[in-house]
Amino acid sequence: MTNGAEHTAFLRKRWAIFGVISLYFFLITAATFSSLGVVLPFMIEELGWSRLEAGTGFSLLALMVGIAAPVPAYLLRRIGPKATYLIGGMLVILGTVLLATTQSLIQYYIGASILGFGYGMCASVPAIYLITTWFPERQAFVIGTYMTIGAAGGIAAPFMVTTAIGTLGGWPAHWWMLAGAMAFLSVLVLLIIRPAPVEIPAGIRKLTEALRDVGDDDRVHRSRRDWTVRGVMRTPQYYIIVFSLTLILLCSVTMNTWAFTHMMALGVSTTMAATVLSTQAVVNALSRIVGGSLANHVDPKWLLVSALLSYVMGMVALSFADNPVALWLFALGDGYGFGMCYFATTMLLVNYYGSKVNPEILGGMNFITTLAMIGPALAGMISDSIGGFVWVFRGCAVLLLVFSIIVIAMRPPKDAEDNPEPDVAPA
């Protein structure tokens, strides 16, 4: 094969892989956090659950996403990305089927748990691994685009739920529809997903090396060598980045569980609430591709700071969400805050520590974010005690404001080449 033909084949394969993993992320986003919060009020009404009981299921979903996080890093090294995606997809299908047929709390909890474990298996960890190996010369832009497409699942989810309830026979039809779509995508995974070749085309390799040596802009810190997992875990910057995402995720899963219920309690119509949540998801999606465009010129640390402060505004606005101004401020602040935080924390890890060990350090981050799972159940308990969610969302704002100061003070970690022990990533 000539060099030109080899280059063309490489490009064709990597964009096909990118399309499949992006659709996967779109669907599992729609099937999990974005769907369940909208479906819950209807399930509560039909099945007679309390808010605490229903919120516990959402907490289990978040818990299992975190518990599953180290698993794909292990499987990627041993059975490859294709098998990792297929195992995760089968779990997502099983979880949605259990939710579609649920008549008891136990089945609801099992279904939500399996769905969460499946999400953790086939979300960002295997995808970022594939992107950083197939797209080494344009990581920021492709990661941002991938996250944008995935976040679009949150845009579609509220209307998917209301359509299923209104025209397809109720909330179980929504879960059946998602199960069928995931089965179709799993077939595409079987046909298309594969690891990147050891030798990439010469032109792409030279461009990658040039960007790594000098960067696109001196204002953006990039490690010149890949770290080991042990070296990463010794740096405080890793934990600052991880807990930034953990706090925003705690606020986000709480918001996704109870924002719809909160808005209806304040007199917001079902249609308006769904529209605001979808707008929030649109801003969430767009912020990720904006981040991908900016990350070569603005250090992701400052993108993360902007995300935390934006989410503060969103949480405060949501607590007052009984008027149009507050509703739209919530949609803008929350959407930008979560989307940009999700992107910026990933890019900070890639820039600070290199790409070779990103399955392990991303898996570790997602595992630690398991702490966020307490949010929905705790918020449900507080709401049952004080009669609403106003102070839940204001408390989230205070936590994020305090942590944004810590991120502002953060400096890049000491580069791997300066470590007493050489940090050479495993082959």
Side-chain angles (χ1 to χ4, degrees):
M1 183 181 290
T2 66
N3 289 337
E6 178 186 2
H7 185 85
T8 301
F10 180 84
L11 295 180
R12 185 170 59 248
K13 289 174 184 176
R14 75 178 186 176
W15 285 114
I17 290 169
F18 173 77
V20 172
I21 64 176
S22 297
L23 287 174
Y24 232 72
F25 196 27
F26 173 93
L27 189 62
I28 61 174
T29 300
T32 53
F33 297 103
S34 298
S35 287
L36 190 53
V38 181
V39 173
L40 273 182
F42 302 98
M43 297 179 74
I44 289 171
E45 180 179 359
E46 181 174 326
L47 300 172
W49 299 335
S50 70
R51 290 177 178 178
L52 176 58
E53 289 171 334
T56 299
F58 209 116
S59 291
L60 286 170
L61 172 70
L63 171 65
M64 297 308 292
V65 170
I67 289 176
V71 178
Y74 174 85
L75 294 179
L76 283 167
R77 304 295 188 192
R78 285 156 181 81
I79 61 176
K82 179 182 295 188
T84 302
Y85 264 106
L86 287 174
I87 293 170
M90 295 303 105
L91 290 172
V92 171
I93 292 170
L94 177 58
T96 53
V97 169
L98 287 171
L99 289 175
T101 58
T102 193
Q103 292 295 319
S104 67
L105 275 172
I106 294 299
Q107 184 173 339
Y108 164 58
Y109 292 157
I110 294 173
S113 298
I114 292 174
L115 187 59
F117 201 93
Y119 181 101
M121 287 282 294
C122 55
S124 61
V125 173
I128 301 301
Y129 170 78
L130 286 169
I131 289 172
T132 54
T133 52
W134 278 98
F135 296 87
E137 85 288 11
R138 48 170 63 187
Q139 293 175 354
F141 176 76
V142 178
I143 289 172
T145 304
Y146 161 78
M147 290 183 174
T148 298
I149 294 171
I155 302 170
F159 293 104
M160 291 166 63
V161 173
T162 54
T163 298
I165 291 172
T167 63
L168 299 178
W171 57 264
H174 169 71
W175 299 118
W176 285 118
M177 179 173 60
L178 291 171
M182 180 56 71
F184 172 74
L185 282 183
S186 295
V187 174
L188 294 184
V189 164
L190 186 63
L191 297 174
I192 295 173
I193 296 296
R194 65 192 68 184
V198 175
E199 292 294 328
I200 62 176
I204 293 175
R205 184 172 63 252
K206 290 178 181 178
L207 180 56
T208 302
E209 292 170 354
L211 290 174
R212 190 168 188 176
D213 286 340
V214 301
D216 287 349
D217 196 304
D218 291 339
R219 291 171 294 183
V220 179
H221 174 85
R222 291 184 180 86
S223 175
R224 294 178 181 271
R225 298 177 62 186
D226 288 302
W227 291 58
T228 63
V229 175
R230 185 176 64 175
V232 173
M233 296 301 173
R234 291 199 299 258
T235 63
Q237 290 87 346
Y238 177 72
Y239 299 97
I240 293 173
I241 295 167
V242 167
F243 281 104
S244 295
L245 182 60
T246 301
L247 280 177
I248 277 198
L249 186 58
L250 180 144
C251 298
S252 180
V253 295
T254 302
M255 180 279 297
N256 275 296
T257 308
W258 298 120
F260 197 79
T261 303
H262 171 66
M263 285 187 279
M264 288 195 296
L266 294 178
V268 179
S269 69
T270 300
T271 301
M272 183 63 175
T275 301
V276 168
L277 288 174
S278 286
T279 302
Q280 177 266 347
V282 170
V283 178
N284 177 352
L286 293 177
S287 68
R288 302 176 191 212
I289 200 167
V290 169
S293 300
L294 293 176
N296 286 330
H297 309 288
V298 178
D299 196 286
K301 167 190 166 177
W302 297 110
L303 298 178
L304 177 57
V305 170
S306 72
L308 291 166
L309 294 177
S310 178
Y311 215 100
V312 170
M313 180 185 76
M315 288 292 94
V316 172
L318 180 57
S319 72
F320 294 103
D322 58 356
N323 64 84
V325 173
L327 286 170
W328 296 119
L329 282 176
F330 154 68
L332 293 173
D334 186 278
Y336 174 86
F338 182 77
M340 187 58 76
C341 179
Y342 193 67
F343 170 79
T345 50
T346 299
M347 282 311 305
L348 277 171
L349 293 181
V350 173
N351 285 357
Y352 280 4
Y353 304 113
S355 60
K356 292 291 179 67
V357 295
N358 70 61
E360 287 80 8
I361 64 176
L362 285 172
M365 177 171 71
N366 293 338
F367 179 75
I368 294 172
T369 60
T370 301
L371 295 171
M373 66 88 186
I374 67 173
L378 182 61
M381 182 175 64
I382 293 172
S383 172
D384 287 338
S385 299
I386 66 176
F389 295 96
V390 171
W391 287 103
V392 169
F393 298 127
R394 291 177 185 173
C396 288
V398 171
L399 287 173
L400 292 168
L401 182 61
V402 170
F403 207 79
S404 66
I405 298 171
I406 298 174
V407 176
I408 290 171
M410 180 178 71
R411 296 292 179 267
K414 190 177 182 181
D415 195 77
E417 62 187 356
D418 298 324
N419 285 348
E421 298 178 15
D423 277 323
V424 180

